[in-house]
Amino acid sequence: MKAAATSGRLFTVGLVTSWYSSNIGVLLLNKYLLSNYGFKYPIFLTMCHMTACSLLSYVAIAWLKAVPMQAIRSRTQFFKIAGLSLVFCASVVSGNVSLRYLPVSFNQAVGATTPFFTALFAYLVTFKREAWLTYFALVPVVTGVVIASNGEPSFHLFGFLMCVGATAARAFKSVLQGILLSSEGEKLNSMNLLLYMAPIAVVFLLPAALIMEENVVGITLALAREDMKIIWYLLFNSALAYFVNLTNFLVTKHTSALTLQVLGNAKGAVAVVISILIFQNPVSVTGMLGYTLTVIGVVLYGEAKKRSK
């Protein structure tokens, strides 16, 4: 029994470590490619991610039987998934665009306001009201970002707006997902949802990349002839993007959604520290105080949500 319990704990620790590594790894590699390496094509980069998610999801579900395959049951359900995929594309592309202009530390500070946008969209779309204590907990979340913005040495308005847009789109997708796929006949686990959303995302992103990022394929091939590392970076980064989703699903399955939320709060702080050490971006005391206040607000929000239930 003891051996089984130890083995179970080690498995969980391994999963959490993999989740942290893939989440922070893809974030830092995105930043490196888009900002430091000079690969200024966030739409094409997102398309690479979605292509990898399409292929690896199919391998994991159809071949490796990681989870049972769930079929799309109707044309209506397909259009709902397509709508979610469009919002998902907007959130990922906006997030990648913001990384061209903002340091990871500030990007994570803005990203921590997701609960604020989730509560806002839940009220606007479903008229769902939370307890006043829950809304009160959102005050330090927003206040912290305002303080961090004022104290951010590398503040860039366009990058900031893109980051806010990415955070809002991510929250909007979670609210829409709860509404659109809430009936028993339409519920999909996150792995099957990714299996269907990813190829639809590629269909959206391919023309967008070709039109908005002129000659991106030719430029990428030219870069590859000069430095083959770019191909390996793109392949590794795209695979990491899939493993973010896979480990997210596995951690939730083997622990709980609450555990994932707590780990997510800590992940932001870890990503901030690692990014500052790697990229040496300047930080101010005001900025760090603002980010700390935001994280405290997110923790209070989670506690208030638990108590209201």
Side-chain angles (χ1 to χ4, degrees), residues 7-297:
S7 176
R9 278 196 293 272
L10 287 173
F11 177 73
T12 304
V13 169
L15 271 183
V16 171
T17 304
S18 301
W19 181 78
Y20 261 84
S21 302
S22 57
N23 265 274
I24 296 173
V26 79
L27 180 68
L28 297 178
L29 195 46
N30 282 349
K31 174 64 180 175
Y32 174 73
L33 285 170
L34 293 166
S35 187
N36 296 58
Y37 189 86
F39 186 79
K40 299 175 181 179
Y41 306 103
I43 301 175
F44 182 75
L45 181 63
T46 307
M47 193 195 75
C48 291
H49 290 180
M50 292 301 103
T51 303
C53 287
S54 303
L55 297 172
L56 294 174
S57 290
Y58 186 79
V59 169
I61 296 173
W63 293 359
L64 301 179
K65 311 292 183 188
V67 293
M69 184 174 281
Q70 297 170 288
I72 295 178
R73 296 168 180 258
S74 66
R75 186 179 295 180
T76 304
Q77 188 184 19
F78 171 79
F79 283 119
K80 288 177 179 179
I81 293 169
L84 284 173
S85 184
L86 186 59
V87 176
F88 182 57
C89 284
S91 71
V92 179
V93 170
S94 299
N96 284 342
V97 169
S98 75
L99 284 172
R100 275 190 62 189
Y101 302 98
L102 298 176
V104 172
S105 52
F106 188 55
N107 179 282
Q108 288 296 287
V110 177
T113 60
T114 301
F116 167 77
F117 287 104
T118 304
L120 178 64
F121 287 126
Y123 178 73
L124 292 175
V125 177
T126 67
F127 302 106
K128 179 187 174 185
R129 290 190 177 187
E130 302 284 357
W132 280 109
L133 187 63
T134 307
Y135 288 123
F136 183 73
L138 290 171
V139 174
V141 172
V142 178
T143 306
V145 170
V146 172
I147 293 170
S149 301
N150 288 329
E152 175 53 52
S154 308
F155 182 82
H156 189 286
L157 182 59
F158 179 70
F160 173 70
L161 293 175
M162 285 290 101
C163 197
V164 170
T167 306
R170 191 162 55 244
F172 188 47
K173 176 194 165 277
S174 69
V175 171
L176 277 184
Q177 188 173 323
I179 299 165
L180 297 180
L181 302 176
S182 58
S183 66
E184 282 302 319
E186 292 186 337
K187 275 186 181 174
L188 295 172
N189 64 47
S190 61
M191 294 309 297
N192 274 273
L193 184 59
L194 183 66
L195 172 68
Y196 295 118
M197 277 176 52
I200 296 171
V202 173
V203 172
F204 287 138
L205 292 166
L206 179 58
L210 294 175
I211 294 166
M212 298 172 72
E213 298 176 337
E214 195 176 341
N215 197 29
V216 63
V217 176
I219 291 168
T220 305
L221 292 174
L223 280 172
R225 281 193 289 272
E226 292 175 18
D227 182 8
M228 264 304 288
K229 282 192 291 188
I230 184 63
I231 299 298
W232 295 112
Y233 282 144
L234 289 174
L235 288 172
F236 181 61
N237 194 25
S238 300
L240 268 185
Y242 171 71
F243 281 105
V244 168
N245 291 279
L246 177 64
T247 54
N248 196 75
F249 171 76
L250 291 173
V251 169
T252 306
K253 181 181 176 183
H254 291 279
T255 56
S256 68
L258 180 63
T259 301
L260 192 71
Q261 185 183 349
V262 173
L263 290 170
N265 295 338
K267 181 208 76 178
V270 174
V272 166
V273 173
I274 293 175
S275 71
I276 291 169
L277 291 174
I278 291 175
F279 297 114
Q280 302 290 307
N281 56 282
V283 290
S284 66
V285 175
T286 306
M288 291 312 295
L289 284 174
Y291 178 67
T292 303
L293 183 59
T294 296
V295 172
I296 290 169

